[in-house]
């Protein structure tokens, strides 16, 4: 999050690209009211299409559906794919969470970092 580029892309080594992802970058880089920003937002394939997008998109990620226990929600963040807006404050926030040391071992809500389920 502290690199000089405006958009950061992280993928695992076993990730394969089959289609261009320009619309993801455009949705992050361009304001929602610009022609490019509007076109990019219309192209997005969302997990919950009825949900409103934020005015300023910070990141796109994938969820780890194979790791979900049947009947449990939500699926966790799958670290193999992340497209994010550069925001140095995010790195600072992550460091503060780790320094606080509030980690509860276990699975699900009420466990993990800050007892938030992750």
């Amino acid at each position: 999050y502290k690199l000089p580029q405006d958009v950061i892309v992280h993928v695992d080594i076993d990730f394969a690209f089959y289609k261009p992802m320009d619309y993801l970058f455009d949705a992050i880089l361009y304001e929602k009211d610009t022609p490019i920003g509007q076109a990019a937002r219309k192209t997005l394939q969302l997990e919950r299409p009825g949900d409103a997008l934020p005015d300023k998109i910070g990141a796109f990620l994938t969820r780890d559906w194979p790791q979900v226990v049947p009947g449990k929600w939500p699926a966790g963040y799958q670290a193999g794919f992340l497209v994010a807006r550069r925001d140095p404050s995010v790195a600072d926030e992550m460091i503060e969470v780790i320094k606080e040391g509030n980690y509860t071992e276990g699975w699900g809500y009420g466990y993990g970092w800050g007892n938030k389920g992750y």
Side-chain angles (χ1 to χ4, degrees):
Y1 282 102
K2 293 191 176 195
L3 296 171
Q5 289 73 19
D6 291 329
V7 174
I8 299 159
V9 178
H10 164 80
V11 294
D12 281 348
I13 196 166
D14 61 350
F15 189 87
F17 294 93
Y18 292 106
K19 295 180 181 179
M21 299 189 318
D22 296 29
Y23 62 92
L24 293 176
F25 307 139
D26 290 346
I28 289 175
L29 291 171
Y30 293 92
E31 298 292 327
K32 69 174 189 162
D33 296 327
T34 65
I36 296 174
Q38 289 175 348
R41 285 166 176 257
K42 287 179 185 174
T43 307
L44 296 174
Q45 296 177 355
L46 303 173
E47 181 179 338
R48 293 184 302 271
D51 289 359
L53 289 169
D55 289 345
K56 185 176 182 179
I57 297 172
F60 293 103
L61 56 89
T62 54
R63 295 210 177 264
D64 200 355
W65 289 107
Q67 299 297 320
V68 175
V69 175
K72 300 276 184 172
W73 171 259
Y77 158 63
Q78 204 288 331
F81 176 81
L82 172 68
V83 177
R85 174 187 301 275
R86 180 179 50 84
D87 183 351
S89 70
V90 171
D92 296 336
E93 184 179 339
M94 289 189 304
I95 290 168
E96 289 305 313
V97 167
I98 293 168
K99 285 167 72 176
E100 180 182 314
N102 183 4
Y103 182 82
T104 305
E105 196 169 327
W107 188 89
Y109 291 116
Y111 298 96
W113 290 104
N115 300 320
K116 295 184 178 181
Y118 48 84

